[in-house]
Amino acid sequence: MNESTSLTTVLDLGARPHPTPPTMSKGKVVLAYSGGLDTSVILKWLQDQGYEVICFIADVGQTDDFEAARVKALSLGATKVYVENLRKEFVTDFIFPAVKVNAIYESRYLLGTSLARPCIARRQIQIAIAEKAQFVSHGATGKGNDQVRFELTFYALAPHIQVIAPWRDDTFIESFKGRSDLLAYARSKGIAMPSGDKPPYSMDDNLMHISYESGDLEDPACAPRDAIYTKTDPRESWPDTPETVRIEFRDGTPVKASSEASGESYTDPLELYLFLNQVAKRHGIGRIDIVENRFVGIKSRGVYETPGATILRCAHIDIEGVAMDREVMRLRDMLSPKFSELVYNGFWFAPEMDFLLAAVDKSQELIDGWVDVVCFKSNCMAVARSSPTSLYSADLSSMENVDGYQPSDAGGFIRINAVRLKAHRKILLATDRERLANAGPIGTTYAAVLDSDKTDAGAKK
């Protein structure tokens, strides 16, 4: 569970033989590089176009071989390779703020890819500025959300930067109309070919989640195969014994996660999160299968696994139940859908997001305490909680104890709230019935007046 040393690996070619960048270079490009077929082809294509290419590999917790990708980029002529461990800042700067606002897109998606993109793009721009590069480039397609998320971050943080998006470039698209064209070009450039069959799905992996799209999932009526899942264990291996984890919060931020049964306890943000991932993995927690609305106007079907964040969301909502003021909660809940929409659409670095984050941080002050969450058979449920800043009073809630609250006071409270309802009823009784009947969709109060007329007419017969 220990985090490996976080450091930036910058590799200059030095004396190693390599293709010399063109004398009349068009400039430096920092390319977001994965080591896969697409970005390897893009690397060579950019060189063919006359650019010096610096590769940037972001480690946000995906199960990639970063050393192999580094070596491959150098072998293909990249003049430098940055390998950046962004896992901890992904947790602290992006995942935890989303937990504090209970962020969720279209009621189900916890935004695993959406939150990772500004984290990656921020570092890419920092490298471009440090390298005095005029360009940045990525391998996102021209139909998806990622192109928007990357580029809005680029322009927000470095308005002068120029973006090369090959999958929107007419020349590139004309040259590479399908996978066979990519493979043929790769062979001609000495790019190592992918071994085995093409993966059946398009996947995006990071420490928060993994997504699966395309292939047979493009048919919404086709259920995903059980073998698809990688961040949650198979159903047949889910334990028959529930497991309880305790999550502690301070100002709405997770500060500790522990298990009495295993004796494990973590306070480091990354280790805490990875621990919850492992608990959720064992119990199959965090799977969803949805059709969602992309920002570019296309509906897409995706299968997601978001293990640890599902437990955190459960616990955070619960601690707010005892420690957050009712009216503050109502206002924050109004902001949550907008926050989620902004994240999904790529507006993390935007003035409206600055405003929302400040408001959310204010709402989370003194949201302190712990929550016990039971994990079992793909479900998680908060079962106990305690807060030093709790607004809950057992005395006031009790059906037996009336100290500090007189039940008879409720009569006045009800009468005050009924004043406007009585006034509305008088207005309706004085309104022409034909007008009420023709008012479009009949509201409950309109229907009640018309029904009472029918009852009165029946009684007179």
Side-chain angles (χ1 to χ4, degrees):
M1 298 298 295
N2 292 328
E3 180 194 1
S4 60
T5 303
S6 177
L7 50 85
T8 299
T9 306
V10 185
L11 298 117
D12 207 329
L13 291 181
R16 189 186 67 81
H18 63 86
T20 304
T23 305
M24 299 298 292
S25 170
K26 291 182 178 179
K28 292 182 182 179
V29 182
V30 177
L31 169 66
Y33 184 73
S34 69
L37 177 63
D38 284 26
T39 53
S40 295
V41 166
I42 290 171
L43 194 167
K44 295 304 294 183
W45 181 81
L46 287 169
Q47 292 172 341
D48 288 348
Q49 304 303 305
Y51 296 99
E52 175 188 349
V53 182
I54 297 169
C55 285
F56 156 57
I57 302 170
D59 174 4
V60 285
Q62 69 273 36
T63 55
D64 288 350
D65 186 337
F66 300 108
E67 174 61 15
R70 176 190 71 81
V71 171
K72 186 174 184 178
L74 291 174
S75 71
L76 294 176
T79 55
K80 287 184 181 179
V81 177
Y82 284 76
V83 181
E84 298 286 304
N85 184 347
L86 306 181
R87 296 186 304 158
K88 194 164 188 174
E89 65 188 72
F90 181 32
V91 172
T92 58
D93 296 359
F94 298 91
I95 297 176
F96 281 0
V99 169
K100 288 164 71 172
V101 75
N102 299 329
I104 193 166
Y105 181 74
E106 295 187 344
S107 302
R108 290 188 286 174
Y109 173 42
L110 294 182
L111 300 163
T113 294
S114 311
L115 289 164
R117 294 311 185 228
C119 178
I120 295 168
R122 177 175 69 178
R123 185 56 59 90
Q124 188 171 356
I125 281 295
Q126 291 169 347
I127 293 169
I129 292 172
E131 289 289 343
K132 296 182 172 56
Q134 303 94 330
F135 306 90
V136 289
S137 184
H138 60 78
T141 71
K143 290 184 177 181
N145 293 311
D146 282 346
Q147 58 178 335
V148 181
R149 295 166 182 155
F150 278 122
E151 294 180 34
L152 289 179
T153 298
F154 295 156
Y155 292 130
L157 300 182
H160 67 280
I161 205 72
Q162 299 178 65
V163 178
I164 301 174
W167 286 112
R168 297 201 309 266
D169 182 282
D170 290 340
T171 302
F172 186 89
I173 293 172
E174 183 63 28
S175 299
F176 304 104
K177 296 179 180 178
R179 184 174 173 82
S180 60
D181 292 330
L182 291 170
L183 292 171
Y185 180 85
R187 281 190 290 268
S188 72
K189 295 294 182 178
I191 299 173
M193 308 293 285
S195 59
D197 296 332
K198 178 185 176 183
Y201 306 108
S202 172
M203 296 176 286
D204 178 68
D205 181 22
N206 60 54
L207 64 83
M208 184 178 183
H209 92 156
I210 188 168
S211 64
Y212 309 90
E213 295 180 337
S214 73
D216 57 15
L217 295 179
E218 291 183 349
D219 177 5
C222 177
R225 292 169 287 179
D226 285 346
I228 189 177
Y229 299 106
T230 59
K231 287 191 180 293
T232 52
D233 288 344
R235 285 188 179 90
E236 58 271 18
S237 69
W238 295 348
D240 293 326
T241 303
E243 181 174 359
T244 300
V245 292
R246 175 167 291 185
I247 301 167
E248 298 181 24
F249 295 89
R250 182 174 178 82
D251 291 331
T253 298
V255 293
K256 185 178 181 181
S258 58
S259 168
E260 184 177 353
S262 68
E264 294 175 275
S265 179
Y266 301 95
T267 56
D268 175 81
L270 178 57
E271 292 183 347
L272 180 161
Y273 195 85
L274 294 176
F275 164 67
L276 293 177
N277 267 351
Q278 289 303 309
V279 173
K281 183 178 188 294
R282 286 195 292 273
H283 295 275
I285 293 168
R287 297 179 180 182
I288 64 168
D289 180 347
I290 65 173
V291 174
E292 67 197 65
N293 291 294
R294 290 178 176 173
F295 189 26
V296 294
I298 300 171
K299 283 187 180 290
S300 66
R301 192 268 188 94
V303 174
Y304 300 96
E305 295 175 272
T306 316
T310 301
I311 296 177
L312 273 182
R313 174 178 166 80
C314 172
H316 183 261
I317 289 174
D318 194 78
I319 196 65
E320 287 185 329
V322 296
M324 181 176 277
D325 175 79
R326 181 186 71 177
E327 296 305 317
V328 172
M329 184 180 290
R330 288 179 178 177
L331 288 171
R332 195 286 315 280
D333 285 350
M334 293 178 191
L335 300 178
S336 183
K338 187 61 181 178
F339 176 96
S340 304
E341 176 189 308
L342 290 174
V343 171
Y344 188 85
N345 293 343
F347 290 96
W348 184 275
F349 295 100
E352 61 270 33
M353 181 60 84
D354 291 342
F355 166 78
L356 285 177
L357 288 171
V360 169
D361 282 346
K362 185 66 180 177
S363 77
Q364 296 296 298
E365 291 177 357
L366 302 180
I367 306 301
D368 302 343
W370 58 260
V371 177
D372 283 347
V373 179
V374 172
C375 304
F376 185 60
K377 302 290 187 183
S378 82
N379 293 305
C380 58
M381 176 181 172
V383 295
R385 72 288 298 159
S386 178
S387 171
T389 55
S390 174
L391 299 175
Y392 172 82
S393 168
D395 289 339
L396 288 177
S397 299
S398 172
M399 291 297 190
E400 298 177 2
N401 194 329
V402 296
D403 288 347
Y405 176 85
Q406 297 299 322
S408 59
D409 292 342
F413 175 79
I414 294 168
R415 286 191 293 274
I416 289 171
N417 278 280
V419 168
R420 65 186 183 87
L421 304 181
K422 293 178 178 180
H424 181 62
R425 175 74 174 186
K426 287 181 179 179
I427 292 171
L428 294 181
L429 289 172
T431 301
D432 180 76
R433 298 301 189 269
E434 184 178 353
R435 182 175 180 183
L436 292 181
N438 295 327
I442 300 297
T444 55
T445 54
Y446 286 32
V449 170
L450 297 173
D451 289 344
S452 66
D453 286 349
K454 294 176 182 177
T455 301
D456 291 344
K460 291 178 181 179
K461 288 182 178 180

